[in-house]
Amino acid sequence: MMNNPKLNCDYQKLDTPFLLVDKPVLRSNLARLSKEIEGMGAELRPHFKTLKSLDAAPYLLAENVSPVTVSTLKEAEALACEGYTNIIYAVGISGDKLPRVYQLLSMGVDLKVLLDSKEQAQVPNQYSEDNRCAIPALIEIDCDGHRGGIDPNSPELLELAELLHRGSAQFKGVLTHAGESYRCFDETSLRAAAENEVKAALNAANRLRDAGLPCEIVSIGSTPTAHRYQNLQGITEVRAGVYGLFDLVMAGIGVCNLNDIAARVVTTVIGHNKEKGWVFIDAGWMALSSDRGTAEQPKDCGYGLLTDSTGCLLDKLQVTAVNQEHGIVSAVDGGSINFDALPIGSRLQILPNHACATASMHSHYHVFDKQNNSYEIWTRIQGW
Amino acid sequence: MMNNPKLNCDYQKLDTPFLLVDKPVLRSNLARLSKEIEGMGAELRPHFKTLKSLDAAPYLLAENVSPVTVSTLKEAEALACEGYTNIIYAVGISGDKLPRVYQLLSMGVDLKVLLDSKEQAQVPNQYSEDNRCAIPALIEIDCDGHRGGIDPNSPELLELAELLHRGSAQFKGVLTHAGESYRCFDETSLRAAAENEVKAALNAANRLRDAGLPCEIVSIGSTPTAHRYQNLQGITEVRAGVYGLFDLVMAGIGVCNLNDIAARVVTTVIGHNKEKGWVFIDAGWMALSSDRGTAEQPKDCGYGLLTDSTGCLLDKLQVTAVNQEHGIVSAVDGGSINFDALPIGSRLQILPNHACATASMHSHYHVFDKQNNSYEIWTRIQGW
């Protein structure tokens, strides 16, 4: 790890584009949700997919046994090597990935896989039998029709749990994700999505227990709903990923303010087209990603909103187009560009639409803590 | 470099998702354009931004002095360390990048920078004076209103060239890019875009020479126009990037066939939602990128078209949605999904919308040559 809290760095001198992480803002975001969830008696199981950095792990996970969610086995392997042992791999499992799962189990890692069909349940059952192990598996519940999972009221839920429970794999519980909460833009619908997520998971867990099946884990979560639960009785854990960095999508949903966004792409002005009202910057999709997550929101932020180098929002400006290494900044909503205020060579910061996507474009993050005058370089885990 | 042509690999056994490069297809694409451009008396200056791998460099560049275009100084530095010396950095220059440019010039690399305003020209002029060097600079010409550059007929062209020529920097010539050719969907408009690009560059070069200014380099290029030039007299070089891998955007424009696409994301089926007609795969935007380049084309390919593991196109199927590590495959155009033919654990290949964007999501490429029974892992240059 390249952490060096004593490193001095004037971030004005770093070559652009780069991803800046404001550490006090990150820590405050992490602490806020953690306190909320723990205050309601559940555990927070942060999703590692957003930051994906072992340098960030100590801020997300208090202890080696703290629960964590991953989106790739590569993340699980990296975390395991650092001593973290309580992991859910929250992407549907296929047989080709089981040797790596087995390897982690053999190292003593409590790694749980996810599935949602009888066909799929045969895979860890058979593998466990063949390899004399017991792969821990969760059943994915569909709470809102967003993506995968099975209806918590379906007969399949019981059949599937039976199959795992009586088979060689280990049935560990249920998991759901209110993916549709990303389309909630007011308090009422956000709270309804949160309540619905809780209800679906509890419903599944109760049906399983009524049928005499164990249901140790009752896992729910999405960043929008995670900030709106009223009661977590019966829920063992909450998963959330983007809540550490936050982004424009989350600000659009109303679960954070622009000041809570901890990740920004720092860029340099590299050209003007005064006739067209364009300012060219050295951050294109290679630095920002092509994510257009705010396109479906009431306020479309283009490819990102802008601040000056002190972090002050530049009103009515957006990144309106991106090529690989070029971004185009234009005025929107009747605004206009003051070219003299944005000379070639000047620096801007871009608030990202989707922090997971923007962070994924960077192999390293530049992490600043002005309060403690520290600078660190965090390395991102890459690949699968 | 990790090249090992003797390495044996059954690509069915590699963990998904991964980027597969079909080397014979790549080589054939590279040879086709190279032959065409050289046959017309110009040089091809491949854009390194698509493949961005030193392992690929020998296939793009015949010799150490072969011309190459880069989108980042990181690429230029990596190429310089391998001995490549003839480089254009084709993104507008800003002062903060000049120390790295100077460093490369000091190593003996002939690195040229790009600019399009008098304000910007002061930067290399002043730097050259202060550091007793002569930074070689090209002027960007706007041939179609796509992005940056100046009008080839404008008085600014001559003023800007004068400024560089009489200043401490070195004026090297003109460069243009027919970015609007990406919106051409028939032969007539493609040829017109190609002709217009040539004309704009020649016009600028002739005006400069008529004014007694040198114009050594006359550089044009975009993958669509590069395949449609009729006459390159007076043009010194052609730049193109995506022509090596090709993609669905280029197939939509008509400069390649689906069989010419050399890069594919290999993925595994990880779930079914029969009610909704969805097949879940383990390739989301993390493996594919969020690029929706075909959205504005007559045939929208979603997030990619699909083939079976032998490369045979699966008609009327598309990747219709992506999350970080999940893709959703659905039927389009009145087709339907045969779930039995796509069981959990089976493998598919995804033809990418935009090869530059998809390749950028992978730190390594898995390069297969069935003809020569070889397998190589190519490493991508990352960062800026």
Side-chain angles (χ1 to χ4, degrees), chain A residues 4 8 40 133 177 192 237 279 306 340 368:
Chain A
N4 183 351
N8 273 311
M40 285 190 269
C133 64
H177 167 64
E237 61 176 49
V279 170
L306 294 129
D340 294 337
F368 288 86

Side-chain angles (χ1 to χ4, degrees), chain A residues 15 97 100 145 276 282, chain B residues 15 97 100 145 276 282 325:
Chain A
D15 279 346
K97 300 215 169 70
R100 287 168 70 191
K276 294 195 169 169
D282 69 354
Chain B
D15 279 347
K97 301 216 168 68
R100 288 168 70 190
K276 294 196 169 168
D282 69 354
E325 298 291 352

Side-chain angles (χ1 to χ4, degrees), chain A residues 73 89 93-106 111 113-115 120-128 131 133 135-137 169, chain B residues 15:
Chain A
L73 289 176
Y89 170 45
I93 196 70
S94 56
D96 54 333
K97 300 215 169 70
L98 289 178
R100 287 168 70 191
V101 171
Y102 177 59
Q103 177 68 23
L104 286 165
L105 294 171
S106 307
L111 177 68
V113 303
L114 186 65
L115 50 86
Q120 215 172 0
Q122 304 291 5
V123 177
N125 265 347
Q126 189 64 52
Y127 189 92
S128 297
N131 295 276
C133 64
I135 293 177
Chain B
D15 279 347

